[in-house]
């Protein structure tokens, strides 16, 4: 285990939990922090009175052998399942065509389930509701500073691993680690408006999900068609990134009006209720400059970076990136090495 005995992971999305799980397995003491009330990050599910809806990641694929092996564990634990929606394509058929052969998976009974399962296996419960605002050098280690009311721990960590979207990692790294901060600085992440729809009765539209290549929408899905979902009928609409970015400050009522109009053009009826959510950092912009090496690790500082944006994006990339960083920390800890910034490549193709 060497010199990085006590490790803090900031971010309890899939990348952070993947990394924490792998480090714990080789004997590190790991503390995970997340600003949200629960774990799973962008693999999230909104729950209300008698309804639920996945409003971030919609499904995931597994292409690499390593992630397929992890997925097999999730399937056997019952926290993931195959989802075989009847897929439609609206608008220009040459953009965003679904691969009919592709196996699509979802968390079960909700998208957060795999992350919760990983978090439950950690020896130290995830510290939720703790937003880390500063990393402060303390000898050879680091102290974490949070918002005053939620100051997390009076503890010095040998290493701090940031499992955050690039802009949020950048905010924490700028002062203590300008070189690592450069990794995140060039990466632009795109926004996405999500609209969750509730109905009093099942809605049969002839498809369960659709790629939309026209107007403001890019994806619509019948959440209730995913395995294990309970509660009232719910559908999810995701807006195009460009459309969303031009309307970041738009009142949710106006966003909902535009997206509901576009859904109606696909045959979608007006819902009994809707809930909007604005994702500021949904995914890495295509063509965005900056690294994509799997993870980054500065053994001299004891600081590392992982997250979907470093490994091809998506759920699989997030998990692989967490594994890659854990390997770096464990390996260099064993060797007692102090060799500057390392980057690791992980191999997979995004869905
Ligand atoms: P995140 O899940 O973002 O985790 C980062 C965590 O850090 C969050 O929990 C956050 O609360 C926490 N955090 C941030 N700042 C701080 C701080 N200062 N202190 C403490 N905690 C902090 N992927 C697919 O594979 N298929 C899809 O269909 C798909 N669709 C998507 C649709 C949308 C709208 C969105 C938003 C994402 C989608 N994705 C999809 C992408 C997928 O959700 C992500 O790739 C993956 O979940 C990223 O995991 P992560 O751990 O890297 O980051």
């Amino acid at each position: 285990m060497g010199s990085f005995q006590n490790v803090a992971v900031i971010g309890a999305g899939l990348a952070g939990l993947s990394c924490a799980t792998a480090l714990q397995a080789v004997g590190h003491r790991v503390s995970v922090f997340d600003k949200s009330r629960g774990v799973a990050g962008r693999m999230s599910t909104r729950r209300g009175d008698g309804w639920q809806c996945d409003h971030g990641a919609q499904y995931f694929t597994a292409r690499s052998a390593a992630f397929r092996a992890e997925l097999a564990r999730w399937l056997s634990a019952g926290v993931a399942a195959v989802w075989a929606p009847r897929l439609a394509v609206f608008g220009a058929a040459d953009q965003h065509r679904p691969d009919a052969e592709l196996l699509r998976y979802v968390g079960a009974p909700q998208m957060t389930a795999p992350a919760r399962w990983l978090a439950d296996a950690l020896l130290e419960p995830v510290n939720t509701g703790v937003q880390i605002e500063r990393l402060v050098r303390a000898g050879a280690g680091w102290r974490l500073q949070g918002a005053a009311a939620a100051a997390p721990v009076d503890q010095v960590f040998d290493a701090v691993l940031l499992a955050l979207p690039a802009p949020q990692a950048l905010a924490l790294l700028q002062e203590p680690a300008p070189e690592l901060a450069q990794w995140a600085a060039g990466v632009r992440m795109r926004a996405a408006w999500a609209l969750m729809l509730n109905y009093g009765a099942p809605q049969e539209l002839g498809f369960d999900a659709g790629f939309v290549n026209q107007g403001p929408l890019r994806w619509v899905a019948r959440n209730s068609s995913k395995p294990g979902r309970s509660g009232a009928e719910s559908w999810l609409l995701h807006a195009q990134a460009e459309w969303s970015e031009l309307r970041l400050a738009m009142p949710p009522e106006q966003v909902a009006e535009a997206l509901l109009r576009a859904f109606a053009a696909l045959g979608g009826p007006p819902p009994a209720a809707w809930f909007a959510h604005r994702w500021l950092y949904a995914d890495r912009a295509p063509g965005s400059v900056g690294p994509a090496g799997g993870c980054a690790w500065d053994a001299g500082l004891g600081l590392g970076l992982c997250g979907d944006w470093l490994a091809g994006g998506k759920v699989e990339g997030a998990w692989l990136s967490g594994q890659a960083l854990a390997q770096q920390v464990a390996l260099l800890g064993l060797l007692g090495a102090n060799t500057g910034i390392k980057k690791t490549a992980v191999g997979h193709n995004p869905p």
Side-chain angles (χ1 to χ4, degrees):
M1 192 178 1
S3 45
F4 303 110
Q5 195 158 358
N6 292 317
V7 179
V9 174
I10 304 178
L14 194 61
L17 292 171
S18 159
C19 187
T21 305
L23 285 173
Q24 180 177 281
V26 291
H28 295 261
R29 180 162 174 250
V30 189
S31 305
V32 184
F33 300 89
D34 200 291
K35 67 186 170 85
S36 302
R37 274 180 300 157
V39 302
R42 280 171 277 161
M43 289 178 77
S44 60
T45 306
R46 177 79 63 89
R47 278 170 299 279
D49 193 12
W51 64 276
Q52 57 162 291
C53 191
D54 302 335
H55 64 301
Q58 291 296 292
Y59 65 83
F60 52 89
T61 51
R63 296 168 196 256
S64 64
F67 188 59
R68 280 206 298 271
E70 176 70 2
L71 174 60
R73 286 187 279 275
W74 297 358
L75 292 168
S76 99
V79 295
V82 173
W83 178 44
R86 292 168 299 160
L87 275 170
V89 181
F90 299 99
D94 55 338
Q95 298 170 30
H96 227 136
R97 251 177 312 178
D99 175 351
E101 302 301 311
L102 201 61
L103 274 178
R104 296 177 172 81
Y105 299 89
V106 292
Q110 55 205 27
M111 193 52 93
T112 51
R116 285 174 170 217
W117 185 71
L118 291 174
D120 286 347
L122 293 175
L123 296 174
E124 182 181 317
V126 173
N127 301 280
T128 51
V130 181
Q131 175 153 358
I132 304 303
E133 293 181 340
R134 266 187 86 208
L135 310 181
V136 182
R137 205 61 166 142
W142 296 96
R143 261 183 220 287
L144 309 181
Q145 262 182 18
V153 262
D154 188 21
Q155 190 181 341
V156 174
F157 293 99
D158 305 317
V160 178
L161 311 178
L162 305 185
L164 309 171
Q168 289 168 321
L170 176 63
L172 288 177
L173 288 172
Q174 237 155 3
E175 194 185 312
E179 204 184 332
L180 258 189
Q182 282 311 308
W183 276 65
V187 174
R188 193 172 82 74
M189 296 193 72
R190 304 186 301 179
W193 274 103
L195 197 68
M196 296 155 265
L197 312 181
N198 284 357
Y199 294 92
Q203 303 296 321
E204 179 48 70
L205 303 189
F207 60 90
D208 299 318
F211 293 95
V212 189
N213 303 321
Q214 62 191 26
L217 291 171
R218 77 176 157 93
W219 167 259
V220 297
R222 185 182 194 179
N223 196 69
S224 305
S225 73
K226 295 180 178 179
R229 270 56 181 174
S230 57
E233 171 90 354
S234 65
W235 282 71
L236 182 276
L237 316 183
H238 275 159
Q240 298 277 357
E242 302 73 22
W243 188 92
S244 300
E245 297 206 313
L246 288 171
R247 290 163 183 82
L248 284 181
M250 187 178 253
E253 293 72 18
Q254 287 177 32
V255 170
E257 194 186 323
L259 298 186
L260 287 173
R261 205 178 316 120
F263 187 45
L266 310 180
W274 57 261
F275 303 86
H277 181 87
R278 188 189 63 174
W279 292 102
L280 273 182
Y281 307 124
D283 63 359
R284 180 178 170 147
S288 151
V289 293
C295 70
W297 167 235
D298 187 323
L301 286 176
L303 289 178
L305 281 176
C306 64
D308 62 341
W309 57 278
L310 282 153
K314 310 278 179 189
V315 166
E316 179 170 13
W319 186 85
L320 288 169
S321 175
Q323 295 288 301
L325 181 56
Q327 275 166 23
Q328 287 287 327
V329 176
L331 181 68
L332 293 182
L334 269 178
L335 299 175
N338 184 346
T339 54
I341 297 177
K342 290 265 177 198
K343 61 179 179 177
T344 304
V346 292
H348 88 113
N349 300 312

